[in-house]
Amino acid sequence: MRIASLEALGVPSPLLSVWEKAFGPELLPIQTEAVTKFGLFTGQNLLVQAPTSAGKTFIGEMAAARCALAGQRVLYLAPTRALAEEKHAHFQELYGRLGLRVLISTRDRREDDHRFTRGDFALAVAVPEKVRALWARTNGTFRGLGLVVIDELQMLADPQRGACLE
């Protein structure tokens, strides 16, 4: 499936241009299935399980970017601080130029915590433990989140970190 064809599903053309430049003109088979068979852009819940390098991460990224551009706030949970830093830089580079406010919140990156707790962002990248701490600060309410993407959901089974993600 061509990325350009996603315009028929309501994906804005500036976003399609960003994706084509960054990822090429074609979706991978699992990405096509997520869109056509499982309603990636229809607001339904989706759990994607596939081998490494099959294209899972871009499925979450597509949903996150489209949702954020539609004016909803998105929380992207990364399993480690290093991956959170990497995703933040990537999202800032690609989607910051489209006017999206992208922030990061980890133990080492606290400068955006006040924006996070106020909901002053389009796309927030964080690790689960930090979100739990911020959640406690706001009495457990993050109003108006349109989407949560969890990268590496297998963390749920981790005895030390799984309960936090849950």
Side-chain angles (χ1 to χ4, degrees):
M1 175 178 221
R2 298 192 62 76
I3 286 179
S5 69
L6 298 176
E7 191 167 19
L9 298 173
V11 179
S13 59
L15 185 54
L16 298 176
S17 297
V18 167
W19 288 344
E20 285 181 327
K21 184 175 181 183
F23 302 105
E26 297 284 333
L27 293 175
L28 295 173
I30 193 169
Q31 296 160 351
T32 298
E33 281 190 47
V35 170
T36 60
K37 289 185 180 179
F38 300 106
L40 180 65
F41 299 126
T42 62
Q44 298 185 41
N45 294 326
L46 184 61
L47 174 65
V48 180
Q49 180 180 358
T52 301
S53 298
K56 300 180 298 288
T57 299
F58 186 50
I59 291 170
E61 183 173 334
M62 285 191 296
R66 183 179 178 278
C67 192
L69 275 177
Q72 297 180 306
R73 288 194 303 274
V74 175
L75 174 59
Y76 188 100
L77 291 175
T80 65
R81 290 183 310 226
L83 187 55
E85 289 286 349
E86 181 182 310
K87 296 310 290 183
H88 174 256
H90 171 77
F91 291 158
Q92 184 62 42
E93 179 183 338
L94 293 185
Y95 308 120
R97 67 179 77 157
L98 295 178
L100 294 182
R101 180 186 298 256
V102 180
L103 61 81
I104 185 170
S105 186
T106 66
R107 183 178 67 194
D108 299 333
R109 297 284 301 269
R110 299 177 179 159
E111 63 271 12
D112 287 329
D113 287 358
H114 64 286
R115 286 190 177 107
F116 186 93
T117 56
R118 285 194 328 253
D120 185 19
F121 62 90
L123 181 54
V125 180
V127 294
E129 292 81 2
K130 185 62 180 266
V131 171
R132 181 177 62 186
L134 293 174
W135 184 287
R137 237 189 255 177
T138 62
N139 296 320
T141 57
F142 288 132
R143 300 195 197 297
L145 277 179
L147 177 70
V148 176
V149 175
I150 303 172
D151 195 356
E152 306 292 338
L153 185 61
Q154 70 270 17
M155 264 183 24
L156 194 58
D158 184 304
Q160 280 77 39
R161 301 183 73 205
C164 178
L165 182 58
E166 187 176 351

